[in-house]
Amino acid sequence: MKKAEWLLVENQWGEIAIEKIQRKFYGGTVTSIFPLDLLEESDIAKLGSHIADETLHHMHCFDHRHLRFIFHPWLGKFLQHGYWKDPSWTNFKSLKTGISREIHNEREVIFGKNLIDIEGKSTSQLLFDEVLHPFYIFQVFSIILWCMDEYYYYAICIFIISATSVTTTLIETKRTIKKLREMSRFECDVRVFRGGFWRVVSSEELAPGDVFEISDPNLHIFPCDALLLTGDCIVNESMLTGESIPVSKLPITDTALRKLDFSSPNFSPDDLKYILFSGTKIVRVRRARNGNGSNGAFNNSSSNIDASAEDEGTALAMAVRTGFNTTKGALIRSILFPKPNKFKFYRDSFRFIGVLGGISFIGFCISTYNFIRMGVTAHMIVVRALDLITIVVPPALPATMSVGTNFAIGRLNKEGIYCISPARVNIGGKINLMCFDKTGTLTEDGLDVLGVRSVNHQTHRFSELHTTTETLSSSSPNSVEPTTSHNHQKNQKSTIKEHQQILFAMTTCHSLKLVNGELIGDPLDLKMFQFTNWVLEEGGQTTSSRSSVVLRSSSSDNSSTSSLNTTLGGTSGIVPTVVRPPGGRQFNLADVLGNDDKDRDEKATPFLELGILRTFEFVSSLRRMSVIVKRLRSHTMEVFVKGAPEVMKEICREETLPDDYKELLHFYTHHGYRVIACAARSFENLNWMKAQKIKREQVEQDLDFLGFIIFENKLKPSSAPVIDVLRGAKIRQVMCTDNVLTAVSVSRECGIVSKNAQIYIPRFIEGSSITPRATLAWENLDNSQDLLDPRTLEPILAPSLQENSVARAEYPPNDRSDFNLAITGDVFRWMVDYGNQVTLLRMLIRGSVFARMSPDEKHELVEKFQELEYCVGFCGDGANDCGALKAADVGLSLSEAEASVAAPFTSRSTDIQLGRTEPYPRIYPKSPTASLVSKKVLTSLIGQILIQSGFQFFVFFLVRRQPWYTPPKFDPDSKNIYCFEDTVLFLVSCFQYILIAAVFSVGPPYRKSMETNFPFLLTATVLTLLTIFLVIYPPGFALNILELHGDITLSFRWLLLIIAAADFFISWICEKYIFLSITHVFGSIRDAGFFSREKKMYHAYKKLYKRVEAEMGVR
């Protein structure tokens, strides 16, 4: 292996490539390329005495599909080298020093340039690959043969059609490669700390270990995968993750660094907050202060940074993955090299040609024998015999199919649907599973707040629905007069706790950020805050919930900020967000944090403002988020928590839960609404320092329940009818979305999931998605004690419920067979990597909602469905869907940007129609056959060959029995066209071409009848009339041009018309009724007790998903 020059590589799909091995001078150590902690245990055991490091003078490597494989001299094999970690990356101090020039040069040899550049084939290479297709080789052979036989007209027509088809394909291929290259290639200037000095270099020179500045105002997109070292930032990762929500990133800590796993293609969900991904857009970066974690070494050694920049500090990151090893590189590779499409139609096309070739070979042998017997010259024998093959196996077949496909693509273009993969047009009719990217495809954009249901502690039940904040804020402190009595204030405080606390939760418990005067964040948080009409202030800017911006520039505001900084010892960002009611007066922000205001006169505070001191971000496993809030002049700090109702119930004090909690929650969730629960808690002796150190577990416990916020996700008017059409056609629908609870509500409303069906959601009770021995619990969305068996995914009752007769009556086993699964991305990842394969298949069969799926997971989901032998369609609208769109049998992009490069179809219209013959009013449940060698196709093909051949034999012998018939005078050196046999066969064949086109024109239940296809009907009618005219009253010039015999009686000409009519009638009856019955008879004979039970099931359910459904009893 060490001395090899070339290597034969075979992937998991059996595709073979030959790669040239490169030899590069290296000069570093072996362990600098292959750290011991990244090797498999079995490989480490093989090293033996080689544990001591040694110099590697030359590195042997090859690149396969943009992945580098490097030869390990001690193990004697090539290892993939994309997911690498420097052994010195153990603490923050080791990261911030960067790397030297020498180490950079070594790593550039190992990893190559930090560039995702697609090397497209030249036009000559693409042309050569296209022409080498067997169909085109056969066409070239046929054209040469026809030219030898002076058959120029037809040869020229076929050449023009084929040349046009090849040219069109080349143009589309080149255009697609150009778009993909523009999307993937990115290069910019970055400031790098290398060798103890700052320097500006091209981003393509970045290598793992390079420290670079991300607070540079000219940097808008991250050039590589990196760890955030100092500062903080907000990024838009929608291109890679599909999340439209801007994501906050935090600096890496020593504890997180030690846990970080670089050996896996995907990072742990807990580590994503420290990772900056290549290709993601920078929304906001905040620099680190010198006194808050910035290292002076970065500034002191800089020779080109001004003093102000040094004082402000910089936000820094360290490159960890570059080029095609990044997450963006993996996405581009999935587009370039999708799983091979094995559509049966194209796989069987060669078999079909083989059947025709066999028939033509028989004719070739018979013709050759007859020509030899008649003494025909060798040249004429070759030309005539080979010409017979070109008749039976038509060279124009691929060109004809291309023309038909191009017509379909042209009609799609008129409907606003664009196709870059013509081969996928024919696959569209075989789809039996349709994946929708997100709920926005079926619903209006975003959620709207329906209202708020707070808790009435007097009745211990929910209040009426508050549709505005006026009723919640009617007893605001803004309206309190200084002379208000103590008893009245006490009653008012009780009212505030009943109504206003949930308003405070809505205004503070969110992750919204103010960037350039615009509120950004989770759409749900945004709608919630807009509902309150409050004002948000952050970083010196003020905006209302309606995103109107007011820059704070008055002297009082500046003094407030100055006072705040003085209070906090000169640091900033301690109170990142402040909110207040609309029209509320501003105050000195330092008062928010002061604990020495107990003796101040509260009468001097006729305004309300809340400062958010700390935020515990939403965690998918906890399904909640919380904030610590300080209210001006308040002696306490408040904690507000919002999250899933079933989770919030567990952390609230039971006496604060209303009696109708379960009843109201059941009502809203089963009517398609999204419900968020809110709770609160007060801390008396909590200052700012303690608030920053307190643990989340201490905060989110013993809470007072406040109420529900109800959101509605309005369904598009056309969604339910479309889903109903798909369901009627037995096309399964699956939703890939962002939020699992929203998706469940929408799926019930639009009909993807039955409204009466139970929904089960899995969660980890031990471990996580990266824990091989993790444990899952599959819980009913409406009753957490209602579970599924973790292996069979069949409904079971918890032991406590099995003893409860009431529970058994509510959930009887025979009524719980109609259920669906809603799976999150982390569970899907674990099931694929570590789960039982039988359970995985059952999960895919029952899964209707797949939430929070990364681009790789969407791609893999499509492939898993394809492994179940589904024909998968995928509808997406962003670059994060590119992998799935490319992998799907039919990918439909609703975007004109990145996704359109990967998707076979791009649409701006929701109304799709194919073909000149319009589609049938409804989609038929059974799709047309995709096999060209199926019983139905072969029965029809062979049957029609026999019928048409029979009529040709009949007229051949019939004309010979006529009294006016004269036999032809045979001349071995002549073409012998002018005779009665050729004339009648030509006339009958003209009718047969037309009638076969009509007979094979598929109508109901897939298309309307051919009478609705006016162009076809007009063409067939004109050709039929011309043929009749040529048979009955042939003009002299036509006889001369076509070399037909004119001495045929009129009575025999009318007889030919009767024979043609009989041919059409018999062909039509056989195609519509007799051949179909013969096919059923063959199927019955095959299944009549000659096979085992397993084989009978296989023949009954040829598709794997059908067999799994049968085993699970899925209807």
Side-chain angles (χ1 to χ4, degrees):
M1 184 75 75
K2 184 177 182 180
K3 298 180 180 180
E5 297 286 340
W6 299 85
L7 204 64
L8 188 69
V9 182
E10 182 179 4
N11 63 13
Q12 65 268 40
W13 299 305
E15 296 179 322
I16 296 176
I18 299 176
E19 305 291 354
K20 181 175 177 56
I21 298 177
Q22 306 173 44
R23 286 174 171 79
K24 299 184 177 182
F25 176 78
Y26 180 56
T29 61
V30 174
T31 56
S32 65
I33 302 178
F34 305 102
L36 295 178
D37 56 352
L38 295 183
L39 296 178
E40 299 287 343
E41 293 182 3
S42 58
D43 290 335
I44 296 177
K46 295 177 183 178
L47 294 179
S49 60
H50 293 290
I51 295 298
D53 209 353
E54 62 184 48
T55 301
L56 181 66
H57 297 289
H58 289 87
M59 184 183 75
H60 297 191
C61 65
F62 70 90
D63 295 329
H64 176 67
R65 294 189 168 183
H66 301 295
L67 287 178
R68 176 155 293 184
F69 294 81
I70 303 177
F71 184 77
H72 197 300
W74 300 342
L75 298 176
K77 62 180 180 180
F78 285 91
L79 300 178
Q80 184 179 337
H81 197 266
Y83 312 117
W84 178 87
K85 176 186 177 182
D86 191 327
S88 66
W89 294 348
T90 56
N91 55 64
F92 176 80
K93 186 177 181 180
S94 66
L95 302 182
K96 63 183 182 181
T97 57
I99 58 176
S100 64
R101 289 188 179 183
E102 292 75 14
I103 294 178
H104 171 267
N105 292 336
E106 290 181 1
R107 292 183 181 175
E108 196 169 60
V109 173
I110 299 173
F111 299 99
K113 295 288 186 180
N114 176 37
L115 203 60
I116 303 177
D117 193 12
I118 301 171
E119 294 292 339
K121 292 182 179 180
S122 64
T123 303
S124 58
Q125 288 176 313
L126 291 173
L127 180 62
F128 185 74
D129 292 342
E130 186 74 17
V131 172
L132 281 183
H133 193 282
F135 279 133
Y136 287 110
I137 293 177
F138 183 61
Q139 279 188 335
V140 173
F141 161 77
S142 302
I143 291 173
I144 295 174
L145 181 65
W146 293 332
C147 291
M148 292 174 60
D149 197 25
E150 300 179 4
Y151 200 16
Y152 299 119
Y153 297 140
Y154 190 60
I156 292 173
C157 290
I158 296 300
F159 174 79
I160 293 174
I161 294 174
S162 300
T164 303
S165 176
V166 171
T167 303
T168 303
T169 303
L170 290 181
I171 292 174
E172 289 297 330
T173 303
K174 295 284 286 186
R175 184 181 298 156
T176 301
I177 292 175
K178 181 181 178 182
K179 287 183 180 179
L180 189 58
R181 189 176 187 186
E182 291 173 352
M183 182 188 81
S184 60
R185 184 182 174 90
F186 175 76
E187 186 179 356
C188 65
D189 291 335
V190 292
R191 293 182 63 245
V192 178
F193 186 73
R194 186 181 298 160
F197 294 91
W198 283 103
R199 66 194 70 225
V200 177
V201 301
S202 172
S203 60
E204 69 175 273
E205 297 182 22
L206 288 175
D210 267 327
V211 173
F212 62 98
E213 181 188 355
I214 63 171
S215 51
D216 186 344
N218 295 321
L219 186 65
H220 304 289
I221 297 176
F222 291 115
C224 63
D225 286 355
L227 285 177
L228 182 60
L229 299 182
T230 63
D232 64 80
C233 61
I234 301 173
V235 298
N236 184 346
E237 297 182 345
S238 60
M239 177 182 179
L240 298 179
T241 65
E243 296 279 1
S244 57
I245 307 167
V247 181
S248 298
K249 299 293 182 176
L250 303 175
I252 190 73
T253 62
D254 288 346
T255 303
L257 182 61
R258 285 191 290 269
K259 294 181 180 179
L260 199 60
D261 182 13
F262 288 88
S263 62
S264 172
N266 301 308
F267 293 102
S268 166
D270 296 333
D271 299 327
L272 296 180
K273 57 187 174 184
Y274 311 116
I275 308 295
L276 308 174
F277 292 105
S278 172
T280 56
K281 297 179 180 179
I282 300 175
V283 178
R284 186 185 72 187
V285 175
R286 291 197 292 195
R287 302 168 181 250
R289 296 286 180 178
N290 286 338
N292 191 25
S294 180
N295 192 324
F298 290 109
N299 296 325
N300 295 335
S301 59
S302 174
S303 61
N304 58 351
I305 307 298
D306 61 3
S308 62
E310 291 182 11
D311 294 338
E312 292 180 4
T314 54
L316 304 172
M318 185 193 74
V320 292
R321 291 176 182 172
T322 58
F324 279 97
N325 295 323
T326 62
T327 306
K328 179 183 177 182
L331 174 61
I332 299 300
R333 282 190 285 107
S334 69
I335 297 173
L336 291 174
F337 310 107
K339 181 180 179 181
N341 189 290
K342 296 182 179 179
F343 185 48
K344 211 170 184 181
F345 179 84
Y346 299 107
R347 186 175 69 245
D348 289 345
S349 61
F350 290 97
R351 300 179 186 175
F352 181 73
I353 296 298
V355 173
L356 295 180
I359 297 173
S360 65
F361 181 75
I362 297 174
F364 174 81
C365 295
I366 296 174
S367 299
T368 303
Y369 171 77
N370 288 331
F371 288 148
I372 294 175
R373 183 175 55 84
M374 291 186 294
V376 179
T377 62
H379 172 268
M380 189 61 67
I381 292 176
V382 172
V383 172
R384 287 286 176 266
L386 292 179
D387 185 52
L388 183 63
I389 297 178
T390 65
I391 294 174
V392 179
V393 184
L397 179 61
T400 304
M401 293 178 63
S402 297
V403 170
T405 302
N406 289 335
F407 274 128
I409 293 174
R411 291 190 289 273
L412 286 173
N413 288 342
K414 293 179 181 179
E415 300 294 333
I417 302 164
Y418 304 97
C419 176
I420 63 172
S421 180
R424 304 297 180 100
V425 172
N426 292 326
I427 305 177
K430 294 297 297 181
I431 290 177
N432 47 32
L433 185 148
M434 192 67 200
C435 296
F436 296 98
D437 166 44
K438 56 177 65 176
T439 53
T441 305
L442 301 173
T443 63
E444 303 292 348
D445 292 335
L447 295 166
D448 292 318
V449 178
L450 179 70
V452 178
R453 301 291 293 264
S454 59
V455 179
N456 188 327
H457 290 288
Q458 295 179 352
T459 62
H460 209 63
R461 296 178 67 85
F462 281 102
S463 67
E464 295 298 322
L465 183 69
H466 296 274
T467 57
T468 66
T469 57
E470 295 177 359
T471 54
L472 290 175
S473 58
S474 58
S475 54
S476 170
N478 287 344
S479 62
V480 180
E481 296 295 333
T483 57
T484 304
S485 67
H486 176 73
N487 290 336
H488 183 71
Q489 290 182 6
K490 183 176 181 181
N491 293 334
Q492 191 177 42
K493 288 182 179 179
S494 176
T495 303
I496 290 175
K497 283 195 173 182
E498 290 181 358
H499 297 289
Q500 287 193 331
Q501 285 289 85
I502 194 170
L503 176 62
F504 297 161
M506 295 173 69
T507 57
T508 59
C509 195
H510 52 71
S511 57
L512 298 178
K513 304 293 182 182
L514 188 60
V515 179
N516 297 327
E518 181 181 0
L519 282 175
I520 62 172
D522 189 318
L524 183 142
D525 287 346
L526 194 58
K527 287 288 186 180
M528 179 182 70
F529 190 75
Q530 288 176 341
F531 179 78
T532 66
N533 291 319
W534 276 43
V535 178
L536 183 143
E537 175 191 323
E538 183 184 28
Q541 295 184 85
T542 301
T543 180
S544 71
S545 62
R546 302 178 186 275
S547 298
S548 59
V549 183
V550 179
L551 294 180
R552 300 186 60 182
S553 58
S554 66
S555 58
S556 61
D557 297 336
N558 293 334
S559 63
S560 297
T561 304
S562 175
S563 177
L564 173 63
N565 290 336
T566 302
T567 303
L568 299 176
T571 59
S572 66
I574 301 303
V575 184
T577 307
V578 173
V579 296
R580 62 177 180 270
R585 292 170 51 191
Q586 301 170 2
F587 62 99
N588 192 320
L589 296 179
D591 290 344
V592 178
L593 307 174
N595 286 327
D596 57 347
D597 56 356
K598 297 181 180 180
D599 299 328
R600 294 181 182 177
D601 187 6
E602 293 189 5
K603 297 179 182 179
T605 314
F607 47 74
L608 169 66
E609 239 178 70
L610 304 175
I612 304 173
L613 304 188
R614 189 178 178 188
T615 301
F616 294 98
E617 298 289 347
F618 176 84
V619 177
S620 57
S621 58
L622 299 176
R623 299 169 67 185
R624 62 177 180 265
M625 73 166 292
S626 58
V627 291
I628 300 177
V629 175
K630 181 69 182 290
R631 181 178 169 189
L632 178 66
R633 298 292 179 90
S634 174
H635 305 154
T636 63
M637 287 194 182
E638 302 289 335
V639 171
F640 295 106
V641 186
K642 81 173 192 300
E646 57 272 19
V647 173
M648 297 290 290
K649 187 177 180 181
E650 299 173 357
I651 58 177
C652 290
R653 294 188 298 122
E654 186 174 356
E655 59 269 22
T656 65
L657 297 173
D659 297 335
D660 54 348
Y661 185 97
K662 182 178 179 181
E663 176 186 345
L664 195 69
L665 177 62
H666 184 274
F667 171 81
Y668 280 114
T669 56
H670 281 72
H671 284 78
Y673 295 98
R674 172 86 181 274
V675 180
I676 298 295
C678 295
R681 182 185 178 186
S682 297
F683 284 88
E684 292 289 340
N685 299 314
L686 190 66
N687 57 25
W688 182 86
M689 292 298 295
K690 291 181 179 179
Q692 301 307 310
K693 296 180 179 180
I694 193 170
K695 294 183 179 180
R696 185 168 190 160
E697 294 78 10
Q698 297 174 272
V699 171
E700 297 177 352
Q701 63 176 350
D702 298 329
L703 302 172
D704 294 335
F705 180 75
L706 299 178
F708 287 152
I709 308 172
I710 297 99
F711 296 86
E712 59 178 341
N713 203 183
K714 297 178 181 179
L715 204 66
K716 289 180 179 178
S718 60
S719 296
V722 169
I723 296 298
D724 186 61
V725 169
L726 295 176
R727 191 191 313 109
K730 296 185 179 180
I731 297 176
R732 183 183 165 193
Q733 313 98 44
V734 169
M735 189 182 293
C736 296
T737 185
D738 294 338
N739 186 279
V740 64
L741 296 177
T742 304
V744 169
S745 299
V746 172
S747 63
R748 279 175 167 164
E749 187 177 357
C750 69
I752 290 179
V753 174
S754 170
K755 292 187 177 181
N756 298 323
Q758 302 294 323
I759 304 293
Y760 291 84
I761 299 178
R763 68 177 179 89
F764 288 100
I765 55 178
E766 290 183 12
S768 65
S769 61
I770 59 174
T771 307
R773 296 189 177 182
T775 305
L776 289 174
W778 300 78
E779 300 176 348
N780 192 311
L781 179 62
D782 303 317
N783 181 8
S784 60
Q785 291 184 299
D786 182 11
L787 305 172
L788 295 180
D789 183 281
R791 183 176 178 84
T792 64
L793 299 186
E794 294 295 334
I796 59 173
L797 284 177
S800 58
L801 290 180
Q802 292 177 359
E803 301 174 0
N804 189 332
S805 59
V806 177
R808 289 199 305 270
E810 185 176 358
Y811 297 100
N814 58 350
D815 290 336
R816 297 164 64 235
S817 59
D818 183 16
F819 68 91
N820 298 85
L821 304 179
I823 298 101
T824 53
D826 55 348
V827 172
F828 175 80
R829 179 79 273 137
W830 184 87
M831 288 294 300
V832 171
D833 292 342
Y834 309 111
N836 180 276
Q837 289 302 303
V838 174
T839 308
L840 174 62
L841 295 180
R842 288 171 170 255
M843 181 193 77
L844 294 171
I845 292 297
R846 285 287 190 181
S848 295
V849 174
F850 292 84
R852 299 194 181 278
M853 304 283 283
S854 69
D856 286 340
E857 288 164 349
K858 289 181 181 180
H859 184 174
E860 198 163 4
L861 176 65
V862 170
E863 291 185 346
K864 290 299 178 183
F865 279 132
Q866 290 172 331
E867 290 177 8
L868 278 168
E869 300 184 64
Y870 280 107
C871 187
V872 183
F874 192 96
C875 181
D877 60 355
N880 62 295
D881 304 315
C882 288
L885 289 167
K886 193 76 173 180
D889 297 289
V890 174
L892 176 62
S893 169
L894 303 182
S895 167
E896 296 182 49
E898 294 94 342
S900 62
V901 179
F905 298 92
T906 302
S907 175
R908 291 197 299 263
S909 171
T910 58
D911 184 16
I912 301 175
Q913 292 188 351
L914 278 172
R916 287 191 182 273
T917 303
E918 294 181 358
Y920 205 59
R922 64 183 180 87
I923 303 176
Y924 193 61
K926 182 176 176 58
S927 60
T929 180
S931 174
L932 289 175
V933 292
S934 64
K935 300 187 303 295
K936 183 176 181 180
V937 172
L938 291 181
T939 301
S940 175
L941 173 66
I942 297 174
Q944 292 296 347
I945 288 176
L946 294 176
I947 292 174
Q948 308 313 320
S949 300
F951 274 95
Q952 289 186 5
F953 276 115
F954 175 73
V955 296
F956 179 82
F957 291 109
L958 180 63
V959 73
R960 288 190 167 196
R961 298 178 62 89
Q962 300 305 310
W964 40 262
Y965 169 78
T966 57
K969 296 179 180 180
F970 177 72
D971 182 1
D973 299 325
S974 176
K975 295 181 180 180
N976 300 295
I977 296 177
Y978 190 77
C979 62
F980 286 107
E981 290 90 344
D982 280 352
T983 299
V984 295
L985 286 175
F986 172 79
L987 296 174
V988 171
S989 297
C990 289
F991 284 112
Q992 289 180 333
Y993 280 119
I994 301 171
L995 70 88
I996 285 296
V999 168
F1000 281 162
S1001 179
V1002 179
Y1006 303 111
R1007 297 189 300 176
K1008 292 182 179 179
S1009 61
M1010 64 178 179
E1011 289 85 358
T1012 62
N1013 187 346
F1014 179 76
F1016 173 80
L1017 201 63
L1018 178 62
T1019 303
T1021 302
V1022 171
L1023 290 177
T1024 302
L1025 293 176
L1026 288 176
T1027 306
I1028 292 174
F1029 178 73
L1030 185 63
V1031 172
I1032 303 300
Y1033 303 108
F1037 71 90
L1039 295 177
N1040 293 330
I1041 293 175
L1042 299 175
E1043 300 185 51
L1044 300 178
H1045 208 302
D1047 298 332
I1048 300 177
T1049 62
L1050 184 60
S1051 59
F1052 189 81
R1053 294 180 183 276
W1054 283 103
L1055 180 60
L1056 288 179
L1057 292 182
I1058 296 173
I1059 293 173
D1063 190 355
F1064 174 77
F1065 179 77
I1066 294 174
S1067 300
W1068 183 274
I1069 294 297
C1070 290
E1071 184 67 27
K1072 300 302 178 185
Y1073 304 104
I1074 298 177
F1075 294 157
L1076 189 61
S1077 301
I1078 294 174
T1079 302
H1080 292 161
V1081 170
F1082 284 150
S1084 301
I1085 295 175
R1086 183 198 61 191
D1087 298 334
F1090 297 106
F1091 302 104
S1092 63
R1093 180 180 178 275
E1094 291 76 12
K1095 287 188 176 181
K1096 284 184 178 180
M1097 174 171 280
Y1098 174 81
H1099 286 294
Y1101 306 104
K1102 290 184 178 181
K1103 302 291 186 182
L1104 177 58
Y1105 75 89
K1106 292 274 189 185
R1107 299 198 292 274
V1108 178
E1109 286 179 347
E1111 292 174 359
M1112 297 183 69
V1114 178
R1115 298 188 294 272

